[in-house]
Amino acid sequence: MQHVLSFKVGDNKYVSKTFDFEALCLINDAHICGSGQGPMRICSAAVDYMFEGTDATPEIIAGLDAFERARLCSRLWDFYTEAISQKKE
């Protein structure tokens, strides 16, 4: 299954690239090094990474409100936990 993130700003919809090994590694590194941190902090850099090379410029990503950023981080956390759960099976 291909996992992507998306959000809307005005009439524009932005779609990320596909969740990949690099995104997983960014989250895993932050997870291991950030004991006591939640998914928002752990997944923040991976959200930026997921939209690199898309129409969602860094300025657009930086302009997202906290609730939208939290939603994207939460989705990425779901992708991450699903991927590491499958790896163990």
Side-chain angles (χ1 to χ4, degrees), residues 8-14:
K8 286 183 84 172
V9 175
D11 293 333
N12 298 318
K13 181 176 181 178
Y14 299 96

Side-chain angles (χ1 to χ4, degrees), residues 18-60:
T18 304
F19 181 75
D20 62 11
F21 184 71
E22 181 68 24
L24 183 135
C25 289
L26 285 169
I27 296 168
N28 192 62
D29 290 348
H31 186 209
I32 290 168
C33 296
S35 75
Q37 295 181 359
M40 279 213 33
R41 290 195 78 159
I42 292 170
C43 296
S44 187
V47 167
D48 296 340
Y49 165 78
M50 291 284 290
F51 286 97
E52 284 179 4
T54 71
D55 290 337
T57 64
E59 293 78 22
I60 292 170

Side-chain angles (χ1 to χ4, degrees), residues 36-82:
Q37 295 181 359
M40 279 213 33
R41 290 195 78 159
I42 292 170
C43 296
S44 187
V47 167
D48 296 340
Y49 165 78
M50 291 284 290
F51 286 97
E52 284 179 4
T54 71
D55 290 337
T57 64
E59 293 78 22
I60 292 170
I61 299 296
L64 293 174
D65 66 36
F67 295 107
E68 186 63 26
R69 184 101 180 168
R71 184 186 70 77
L72 294 171
C73 287
S74 178
R75 290 293 299 141
L76 262 182
W77 183 254
D78 291 343
F79 299 164
Y80 170 72
T81 57
E82 180 182 323

